Amino acid sequence: MRMYAKPVAAVTGALALAASLTACGGSSAASDEKVVTVYSADGLKGEKGDGWYDKVFADFEKETGIKVKYVEGGSGEMVQRALREKSNTQADVIVTLPPFIQQAGSKGLLQKYTPKGADQVDGADKAADGSWTSVVNNYFGFIHNKKELPEAPGTWEALLDGKFRNKLQYSTPGVAGDGTAVLIKAMHDFGGQAPAMEYLKKLQANNVGPSSSTSKLAPKVDKGELLVANGDVQMNFAQAKSMPNLAIWFPAKEGGKPTTFALPYAAGLVDRAPHTENGKKLLDFMLGEGAQREVSAVGGGFPARKDIKATDANAIELAKLIEGVEIFEPDWADIDTNLSSYVDAWKSATGS
């Protein structure tokens, strides 16, 4: 089994930085300005400033003098924002979960750049054309409140029980990377689009409603407002340090094994980035040995580089977490091509 370590929207972060971004965006920015702007899926920045991004960005600024300006949101949200700004590019680096990093590439948002250390990243975790590379590996998962619900539900079918009415929520497919992952896993586990949509239609009776941000669901689960929500291993593992009622689990189809799939945080250099050289330096830094050794110890994820063998306490706990879980590999090319139709089918099935 291949080991990974994703993993995924704080709109407030985007709003707070809106004013500062205009100062460093597009052609008005000096090419030698000591700044780099990152658009990223949520999950790698700590709620209390103690996440992998917090450590890596601080170390990067100390070493290079380049300040990181950070905007986060759902994976799809970040790609759409970059698309809207294509004529006046604001971001230098974009980090999203699949299939949105592939989407960014197919829409011409990325320029080719192979960071130092990318030769140690598994072929499935980087673009063949060099447009993006995973920086933190991860798995898709679910969470439950272990105080109110000591045993994980175990199966998809169990979530249809009336006790989960208005106590279950998953982030929006097509907007959030982890929300899109719900569709991908359901289609795999139920054996196709039609049976997956039939199930999700039934599940909608218990679903609280849409959420553009997966990270916002964990606090609700921790407080008991929700009993179950979707997430990913890296993000939820890191959140559990300050949210003691969170527990990670992987749904199975009734009679089957629990399953998951790799959902890495993948980074690419934005086409016509205002600070291209600074973006390259940051990508090199994130894939550097120092930053990669802290992926599990600080970030609760799995190193993207095969030559980094994490042995810290978090790494050991993470390995146990996915023990016995069947890992499948989605057909990302198919998902990239047909994502809109899958999301439309979900909207139709659920009335969303």
Side-chain angles (χ1 to χ4, degrees), residues 76-257:
E77 181 185 358
M78 292 295 93
V79 171
Q80 288 304 313
R81 178 166 177 166
L83 269 174
R84 289 195 302 271
E85 297 168 350
K86 209 170 178 184
S87 62
N88 181 29
T89 311
Q90 304 290 312
D92 301 300
V93 171
I94 190 165
V95 185
T96 78
L97 306 182
F100 295 100
I101 195 67
Q102 290 91 338
Q103 188 182 85
S106 65
K107 291 183 181 297
L109 288 176
L110 305 177
Q111 58 175 298
K112 295 176 184 178
Y113 178 66
T114 303
K116 295 172 185 174
D119 59 317
Q120 293 296 333
V121 175
D122 191 276
D125 298 327
K126 60 187 177 186
D129 67 355
S131 59
W132 57 267
T133 308
S134 296
V135 291
V136 171
N137 280 329
N138 189 25
Y139 292 105
F140 176 64
F142 274 64
I143 48 176
H144 68 101
N145 179 304
K146 62 184 181 183
K147 182 180 177 184
E148 301 291 333
L149 192 69
E151 292 293 322
T155 66
W156 287 106
E157 289 83 357
L159 296 176
L160 299 176
D161 191 284
K163 71 181 178 184
F164 293 109
R165 189 176 296 273
N166 295 323
K167 287 287 188 176
L168 175 151
Q169 190 173 17
Y170 60 91
S171 51
T172 308
V175 175
D178 288 323
T180 306
V182 172
L183 284 189
I184 294 169
K185 179 171 157 58
M187 286 194 293
H188 171 271
D189 289 1
F190 286 96
Q193 179 181 320
M197 298 309 160
E198 185 181 337
Y199 167 79
L200 291 170
K201 181 178 182 177
K202 294 175 184 174
L203 186 65
Q204 195 66 10
N206 289 343
N207 187 18
V208 170
S211 172
S212 64
S213 167
T214 312
S215 66
K216 289 180 179 176
L217 302 182
K220 294 180 181 179
V221 174
D222 183 59
K223 292 172 188 171
E225 293 174 28
L226 298 172
L227 291 176
V228 171
N230 68 315
D232 62 72
V233 172
Q234 177 278 323
M235 177 173 65
N236 296 142
F237 186 87
Q239 288 172 317
K241 299 300 180 184
S242 59
M243 300 179 193
N245 296 321
L246 293 189
I248 298 169
W249 66 290
F250 305 93
K253 187 176 183 296
E254 209 164 63
K257 285 185 175 182

Side-chain angles (χ1 to χ4, degrees), residues 306-321:
K306 296 179 289 186
D307 60 333
I308 303 297
K309 308 298 181 187
T311 57
D312 58 90
N314 282 356
I316 293 167
E317 196 174 338
L318 285 161
K320 286 180 181 176
L321 196 59

Side-chain angles (χ1 to χ4, degrees), residues 8-26:
V8 357
V11 176
T12 51
L15 294 175
L17 286 169
S20 61
L21 283 174
T22 56
C24 66

